[in-house]
Amino acid sequence: MLSTLIWLPILGALTIPLIPLRFLKLAALTISGLGLAWSLWIAINFNLAEPLLQFPEFLPWLDVLGLNYQLGVDGLSLPLLVLNSFLTWIAIYSSKEQIERPRLFYSLILLVAGGVAGAFLAQNLLLFFLFYEVELVPFYLLISIWGGEKRNYAAIKFLLYTAVSGALILAAFLSLVWVQGAESFAYEAVMGNALPAWLQIVLLGLILVGFGIKIPLVPLHTWLPDTYVAASTPIAILLGGVLAKLGAYGIFRFGLGLFPDAWATLAPGLATWAAVSVLYGATVAIAQKDIKRMVAYSSIGHMGYILLGGAALTDLSLVGAVSQMVAHGLILAILFHLVGVIETKVGTRELDVLNGLMNPIRGLPFVSALLILGGMASAGIPGLVGFISEFLVFQGSYAIFPAQTLLCVVGTGLTAVYFVILLNRTCFGKLDNAIAYFPKVEWNERVPALILVLVIFYFGIQPSGLVRWPESTTAAMIAAAPNLPSAIIAQPPTPTLAADVPDLIAQ
Amino acid sequence: MTTATLNPPNTKIPPSTHEFAEVIHRLEAGGSMLPDTPENLMQIIGIYKAYAVPMDFYWRDLLYIAERVFLNPLPAFKYFLPQEYLDLHNHYAGDTADLRIWRGEATAHPELLEFMAKGEMKQNLPKIFHHLWHDRINMEFAEECMRAMLWHRGMGGQFDPYLDTDEYKANADRAIRAYFKGNPIMLGLYKAFPDMFYEQVRQLSYYANLGLFWEIMAPVFFEMSDIYDEGGFKGVPDAMNFLVNGIFAIAGRPIYHHVYIDGECYEIIPKSKGFTWLYEAALPYVEAVFYRTSPFRGTKSYNAQANQVPSDQKDFHYGILYADVFPVGSAGIPPTLLMQDMLHFLPPYLLDYYKQYCRGDDDMLIQLGITFQRSMYNVTSAVIQALRTALLYPLDDQDPDHLMANRQFFEAQMDRFKRPEARLRNIQSQDYR
């Protein structure tokens, strides 16, 4: 069942070069649409009460290496899996009709989709690593062939950083397996609880830095602005929406999951690191003059909330962190899509040139309106999905790390600041009559943003649709870590609705 | 753009060194501020046609409000023209004309009647539904023009000073008493605050003034459109000269304000006062509406500390000659009302023309707005040439002093377009659309 999600796109990637040119996009859309439908079907059949792996698959492969084809999905990976299928479809839809070398383009995107799905599903460290590395070259090509200015520089930078990230992760995995003398790389076999504390911390450090590059966390982020800016719109959507989530997922699954004790020890540092990331991303975004760069830095800031939620390790904050991954994926996708439309139509991304795009006839009113919505969602305005996830994180973390949480709240304020700057300069004001002869925005260019905005609204108003998936899994992850920061503070047991019901009936 | 007019028309006086020397030389050669190209001619005539149809409604309704609705404190149905005002004979069209400018019907234009009956919805619904669905002529625009004339006041002529005389007040007084006869509340109010009612009557006199102005412009524009369709005009100067001749032919038509109450006519401004069209309606209108109007709420801040709006009314520069048409369709941009009205009556050749450029159907409102701006530069050129004819010397005068006087007049007129907002520079090029 789960294999379909991996192999459907990959087989699609292999067959798509055989399809006639004019059906190419349609074929790619169909394949990714089937993938999306399949992942939704899995979500429907997903048992919400079951914290452990579901739909497991096992095929012995290379026993000598301890590498087996071992898949499974739980509440942590399921939302991301669906997000991946969804954003792949959106990215393909939002790619230009007349793209150069379309066969390679769509093949690579589908390959990436299969690889990412594989990484989310893999329950074997080596298998995860394989899928993780599969992303490397396709993304390098996607950036360097179809990118904008400075694409070669950006692509090389991306390649080097990601390769180092892979190397660190591999080092961590190998050492973990070797020091434990484990038979295979299977996930359950290598829980690091038994190791001495210092070794746990070292290995966790390796994992944090390895995935921290991918997320990215602050000192490791310098590839991101260049890469996001140089990448074309659909690629930026995939990079920001999906690949960054792979990093965050990796940290949770392999950092927190394998080394809960070390995680608990490092938690205060992680929370501080998160606060620094949030504030750094926001303040640097304020200084930008290029709207795509602003969005890129906003991404750095928003990934900080995920780390904060993970560090606090309460039920609420961890659910918040997973929802934030999804929320950020959706919001970043809509922002990159709209920025892409604006760049195509207006021909610039400069904050000093753009103006008056809200003009109902000569401007891009629909795109501007959606951009405002996207900006508000990103800044955490209630009613939109960004607020839900950020509020869950803050509510869950405040009791554990009040200072860091408050700093992150300041970061949300700063997010509002740079989005208001962005919207004010781009959407409001007056069109420059000398340049304001933009081509019109076709309906099919609006559709991806429209779909995204509906999803953003839906989860913002009905958040249970988003947060119910990870609840049981995150609760189990917390239960697995006895030495929790949340345990430091004696908390009264949270009354649950289910527990209260008998009392109510008795009354 | 034609290059023939780049050189001064004669060598009796040295070339102008004015910023708009090229335009001034063209005016001296008998041309328009608008370059003489077939494309420009097609655009301005087409838009005259599209403008004249709603204008045919405007003038009828303005007169209806001035003469019949009068001081109605709740004029809820003032935009619902009764049949008699649709049948009202235009004094300058049809067989009964005083001076036949347009060869067509004297009653309301057939396209207007069709639009009023069916509207954009193309359905025969009661008038009230068309009105509530906003499927109608934007009469508010005409009232806004009227209010600009009222509020700017004092732009020359005798009409405006007359509104403050005792004679005017006495005339108004009779009409007010007759109108509110048997209505003690309103009569009591009138006794308590007479000036409030006089001011309302002044406004109604301006309704009549503008209505009488447009009663002439509508047949002029219809006739120009017909002449163009017959292949009559050879270039933009021809179209301008038709306007100049029209202005002189009509200059003496009386401007008055009559009110009809219970079948009786009250002459608030009698024809015998001798107010004439050119000096009491046309020139104040051009000054008030083409040049000045009032700052758009969506463009300028009325904040007194920001000093964005001039303190002197003579410095106002928000008329169509200066307007930025690109934000048409946004909130706070009054000309949108007119552009929306004209959109319903575009001739097919303009529709086809707009479809080829920019966003085609999607931004027609702005494209036609810019065409309208071009055409109003041509109308203003006609007014400038008419003034020059009336006050100064012919263009083919042999006396260099006379030519110099003409030159100085033109230069003084062009000085008003030195402001950065003036669109004179833009309309010289076809890229501005």
Side-chain angles (χ1 to χ4, degrees):
Chain A
M1 250 173 49
L2 297 178
S3 292
T4 320
L5 283 178
I6 304 171
W7 299 108
L8 178 77
I10 291 181
L11 288 176
L14 296 177
T15 49
I16 218 162
L18 310 173
I19 289 167
L21 269 184
R22 66 205 156 96
F23 296 123
L24 215 51
K25 188 172 174 179
L26 189 66
L29 273 179
T30 314
I31 294 166
S32 60
L34 285 174
L36 176 59
W38 193 254
S39 55
L40 287 175
W41 193 80
I42 286 175
I44 290 167
N45 288 292
F46 186 81
N47 180 0
L48 288 176
E50 167 64 57
L52 298 176
L53 290 178
Q54 302 186 30
F55 309 105
E57 285 182 29
F58 182 86
L59 275 178
W61 186 9
L62 295 172
D63 260 340
V64 192
L65 292 177
L67 172 60
N68 291 311
Y69 182 79
Q70 199 171 356
L71 306 179
V73 64
D74 63 5
L76 182 61
S77 48
L78 181 78
L80 300 173
L81 207 57
V82 179
L83 181 74
N84 172 44
S85 312
F86 179 51
L87 290 189
T88 304
W89 189 85
I90 291 276
I92 292 176
Y93 195 103
S94 70
S95 62
K96 290 196 188 77
E97 288 299 333
Q98 304 300 330
I99 200 157
E100 281 174 60
R101 306 168 74 177
R103 294 199 159 96
L104 185 59
F105 183 76
Y106 293 121
S107 298
L108 289 176
I109 287 193
L110 289 173
L111 192 60
V112 164
V116 172
F120 284 139
L121 292 172
Q123 298 304 326
N124 181 298
L125 301 194
L126 218 46
L127 187 65
F128 172 86
F129 180 74
L130 277 182
F131 283 121
Y132 188 79
E133 291 289 290
V134 162
E135 314 308 321
L136 201 62
V137 173
F139 265 116
Y140 170 76
L141 293 174
L142 286 168
I143 296 161
S144 67
I145 299 178
W146 293 276
E149 262 178 277
K150 288 178 78 182
R151 54 176 182 260
N152 289 324
Y153 169 77
I156 289 285
K157 206 167 171 179
F158 170 81
L159 187 71
L160 290 178
Y161 269 84
T162 316
V164 170
S165 155
L168 291 172
I169 293 162
L170 185 62
F173 287 174
L174 290 178
S175 358
L176 177 62
V177 171
W178 289 339
V179 292
Q180 295 200 101
E183 290 286 303
S184 87
F185 281 86
Y187 184 80
E188 321 87 70
V190 291
M191 293 290 281
N193 289 359
L195 296 178
W198 68 269
L199 191 56
Q200 283 195 42
I201 289 176
V202 168
L203 292 178
L204 178 59
L206 276 178
I207 284 181
L208 279 175
V209 174
F211 286 114
I213 292 175
K214 201 81 163 188
I215 287 183
L217 294 169
V218 148
L220 315 170
H221 68 281
T222 53
W223 62 273
L224 178 139
D226 293 317
T227 310
Y228 283 16
V229 168
S232 64
T233 302
I235 306 313
I237 290 175
L238 288 179
L239 271 174
V242 177
L243 211 63
K245 305 307 159 314
L246 199 53
Y249 168 82
I251 283 201
F252 278 43
R253 170 76 71 202
F254 302 105
L256 171 59
L258 295 178
F259 308 102
D261 293 340
W263 183 275
T265 318
L266 290 185
L270 293 179
T272 311
W273 196 359
V276 169
S277 265
V278 167
L279 291 175
Y280 178 88
T283 40
V284 177
I286 290 175
Q288 299 308 312
K289 288 283 174 201
D290 175 326
I291 52 175
K292 208 167 179 182
R293 266 194 125 71
M294 266 185 154
V295 176
Y297 276 106
S298 87
S299 172
I300 297 177
H302 283 81
M303 297 308 281
Y305 301 126
I306 300 176
L307 189 62
L308 176 71
L313 268 190
T314 58
D315 284 336
L316 217 49
S317 75
L318 213 52
V319 169
V322 179
S323 337
Q324 171 69 2
M325 292 187 207
V326 179
H328 174 259
L330 296 170
I331 294 169
L332 203 68
I334 191 172
L335 289 174
F336 273 135
H337 175 77
L338 295 171
V339 167
V341 174
I342 289 175
E343 190 186 3
T344 326
K345 301 296 168 187
V346 182
T348 179
R349 294 192 313 254
E350 289 297 310
L351 220 46
D352 296 335
V353 182
L354 289 167
N355 225 334
L357 293 186
M358 278 288 250
N359 182 314
I361 299 181
R362 279 273 157 98
L364 312 171
F366 199 84
V367 170
S368 307
L370 293 179
L371 188 65
I372 290 173
L373 262 173
M376 284 166 62
S378 190
I381 303 291
L384 302 162
V385 70
F387 170 76
I388 301 300
S389 50
E390 282 174 27
F391 186 74
L392 284 175
V393 169
F394 295 151
Q395 178 77 359
S397 324
Y398 181 74
I400 319 295
F401 301 118
Q404 289 93 329
T405 307
L406 286 177
L407 285 174
C408 285
V409 173
V410 172
T412 348
L414 293 175
T415 306
V417 169
Y418 63 74
F419 268 110
V420 168
I421 293 176
L422 188 157
L423 301 173
N424 192 22
R425 304 268 178 84
T426 10
C427 303
F428 299 110
K430 191 187 147 317
L431 277 183
D432 178 358
N433 291 13
I435 59 165
Y437 297 93
F438 315 135
K440 64 177 157 193
V441 181
E442 305 294 340
W443 262 105
N444 63 4
E445 292 170 292
R446 297 174 182 167
V447 167
L450 204 56
I451 296 174
L452 282 164
V453 95
L454 288 178
V455 176
I456 287 171
F457 251 122
Y458 177 75
F459 286 146
I461 292 166
Q462 188 55 276
S464 66
L466 178 61
V467 299
R468 62 181 165 162
W469 307 105
E471 267 175 339
S472 59
T473 304
T474 49
M477 286 171 85
I478 289 166
N483 186 14
L484 284 182
S486 50
I488 300 166
I489 304 164
Q491 280 181 321
T494 322
T496 60
L497 190 60
D500 291 344
V501 168
D503 298 344
L504 289 171
I505 294 167
Q507 283 167 14
Chain B
M1 204 184 304
T2 50
T3 49
T5 52
L6 281 174
N7 303 311
N10 59 57
T11 48
K12 290 226 159 49
I13 50 172
S16 170
T17 55
H18 195 273
E19 186 183 340
F20 293 116
E22 194 187 319
V23 179
I24 289 167
H25 294 153
R26 203 156 61 215
L27 286 167
E28 288 177 346
S32 162
M33 284 191 277
L34 187 66
D36 180 15
T37 64
E39 206 174 338
N40 273 339
L41 180 67
M42 182 269 286
Q43 284 193 60
I44 61 171
I45 301 284
I47 209 77
Y48 286 158
K49 168 69 192 316
Y51 186 25
V53 183
M55 191 186 277
D56 198 32
F57 181 88
Y58 294 161
W59 79 260
R60 287 170 196 277
D61 200 25
L62 285 166
L63 287 185
Y64 169 65
I65 294 170
E67 296 172 355
R68 309 281 170 162
V69 177
F70 197 51
L71 284 173
N72 186 346
L74 299 169
F77 297 103
K78 62 178 174 176
Y79 300 153
F80 289 66
L81 262 188
Q83 192 59 37
E84 63 170 307
Y85 271 81
L86 290 171
D87 293 338
L88 194 66
H89 281 208
N90 189 308
H91 287 88
Y92 302 91
D95 299 327
T96 55
D98 298 351
L99 169 74
R100 194 166 187 180
I101 295 178
W102 184 40
R103 289 159 286 169
E105 294 291 315
T107 51
H109 195 272
E111 283 187 38
L112 174 66
L113 292 174
E114 194 198 330
F115 180 79
M116 287 178 68
K118 295 187 173 172
E120 271 177 355
M121 294 187 285
K122 305 283 177 217
Q123 265 162 346
N124 279 313
L125 293 174
K127 215 184 272 183
I128 183 89
F129 291 124
H130 282 292
H131 183 86
L132 292 175
W133 193 248
H134 208 112
D135 188 10
R136 60 187 177 94
I137 302 280
N138 291 313
M139 189 58 199
E140 293 88 340
F141 176 79
E143 293 186 309
E144 195 60 37
C145 290
M146 175 279 298
R147 227 167 275 127
M149 292 176 76
L150 167 73
W151 184 70
H152 276 291
R153 310 196 76 167
M155 293 174 295
Q158 296 303 311
F159 180 90
D160 190 70
Y162 179 72
L163 301 182
D164 291 320
T165 59
D166 291 338
E167 187 187 346
Y168 179 81
K169 285 186 185 172
N171 292 344
D173 178 71
R174 280 192 304 118
I176 295 167
R177 285 181 193 286
Y179 188 78
F180 290 127
K181 190 169 51 195
N183 184 341
I185 298 175
M186 293 310 287
L187 282 176
L189 268 177
Y190 175 51
K191 200 156 189 69
F193 310 106
D195 280 340
M196 181 171 84
F197 288 81
Y198 292 142
E199 187 66 8
Q200 288 299 315
V201 179
R202 284 186 196 110
Q203 172 165 313
L204 288 157
S205 295
Y206 265 105
Y207 269 98
N209 182 315
L210 182 59
L212 293 171
F213 172 69
W214 273 339
E215 184 184 356
I216 290 182
M217 295 319 286
V220 168
F221 287 152
F222 283 136
E223 181 63 16
M224 290 178 81
S225 164
D226 285 358
I227 294 177
Y228 178 76
D229 290 347
E230 292 157 11
F233 291 124
K234 294 286 167 273
V236 175
D238 282 0
M240 182 189 73
N241 286 327
F242 184 90
L243 285 166
V244 175
N245 295 334
I247 288 171
F248 283 116
I250 232 75
R253 96 122 329 156
I255 297 294
Y256 52 89
H257 181 197
H258 292 173
V259 179
Y260 298 90
I261 303 162
D262 294 335
E264 206 175 322
C265 176
Y266 291 81
E267 297 196 342
I268 293 180
I269 302 177
K271 287 186 184 175
S272 59
K273 290 309 293 180
F275 295 142
T276 55
W277 184 83
L278 179 61
Y279 290 106
E280 311 302 348
L283 293 179
Y285 172 83
V286 169
E287 178 67 25
V289 175
F290 285 9
Y291 286 95
R292 295 189 186 179
T293 67
S294 50
F296 298 176
R297 273 62 157 195
T299 325
K300 294 284 170 195
S301 164
Y302 279 65
N303 180 347
Q305 283 143 323
N307 274 325
Q308 283 193 14
V309 173
S311 47
D312 276 339
Q313 282 173 242
K314 69 175 170 49
D315 296 331
F316 274 38
H317 51 277
Y318 308 104
I320 186 64
L321 302 179
Y322 300 92
D324 181 3
V325 187
F326 277 55
V328 159
S330 316
I333 309 291
T336 305
L337 291 173
L338 175 63
M339 307 312 167
Q340 184 66 36
D341 275 349
M342 293 195 289
L343 189 64
H344 302 128
F345 306 108
L346 287 175
Y349 55 87
L350 265 191
L351 283 172
D352 294 341
Y353 178 75
Y354 293 147
K355 277 180 187 151
Q356 295 167 30
Y357 294 102
C358 300
R359 293 194 190 174
D361 282 327
D362 289 8
D363 67 347
M364 229 176 241
L365 213 55
I366 288 175
Q367 291 194 55
L368 80 86
I370 286 169
T371 302
F372 181 70
Q373 199 161 46
R374 287 178 199 279
S375 76
M376 290 302 117
Y377 264 100
N378 193 46
V379 175
T380 310
S381 304
V383 174
I384 290 174
Q385 292 286 15
L387 272 179
R388 193 259 316 140
T389 313
L391 308 173
L392 291 158
Y393 308 98
L395 294 172
D396 54 2
D397 200 299
Q398 294 304 308
D399 186 339
D401 289 346
H402 292 175
L403 290 178
M404 208 57 205
N406 283 350
R407 160 76 51 88
Q408 279 160 2
F409 170 73
F410 286 137
E411 287 188 344
Q413 292 296 328
M414 292 308 110
D415 282 347
R416 300 191 74 176
F417 299 118
K418 279 180 168 176
R419 305 193 62 94
E421 297 91 345
R423 306 290 153 178
L424 179 59
R425 201 173 282 104
N426 302 86
I427 60 146
Q428 302 304 318
S429 152
Q430 227 34 269
D431 295 338
Y432 177 59
R433 55 176 83 250

